[in-house]
């Protein structure tokens, strides 16, 4: 499973996008990285310090 898919199994506690969306910045753009509180929800990603968003994705809705 791609990392982005694994992370997006959960809503983001930080920017409040629903499952299936990339994280977004306060300005509504795609965040360069998924927020830490989101990917620590995923067991296989807990050891990582950051997870980048795919370049071809659009921002999720808050
Ligand atoms: Zn987020």
């Amino acid at each position: 499973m791609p990392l982005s898919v694994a992370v997006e199994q959960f809503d983001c506690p930080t920017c409040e996008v629903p499952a299936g969306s990339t994280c977004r910045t306060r300005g509504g753009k795609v965040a360069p990285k998924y927020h830490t509180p989101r990917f620590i929800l995923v067991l296989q990603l807990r050891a990582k310090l950051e997870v980048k968003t795919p370049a071809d994705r659009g921002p999720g809705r808050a």
Side-chain angles (χ1 to χ4, degrees):
M1 181 188 296
L3 294 181
S4 60
V5 173
V7 176
E8 291 177 18
Q9 293 176 99
F10 299 97
D11 299 349
C12 181
T14 301
C15 63
E16 301 183 334
V17 296
S21 294
T22 59
C23 279
R24 51 183 282 158
T25 64
R26 259 183 241 168
K29 301 201 167 153
V30 177
K33 297 175 288 188
Y34 290 100
H35 292 119
T36 306
R38 191 180 200 185
F39 71 74
I40 61 174
L41 294 171
V42 183
L43 284 175
Q44 71 187 96
L45 299 181
R46 271 194 194 170
K48 296 189 182 291
L49 295 176
E50 60 182 45
V51 179
K52 293 186 175 164
T53 50
D56 61 346
R57 300 293 301 277
R61 291 171 189 272

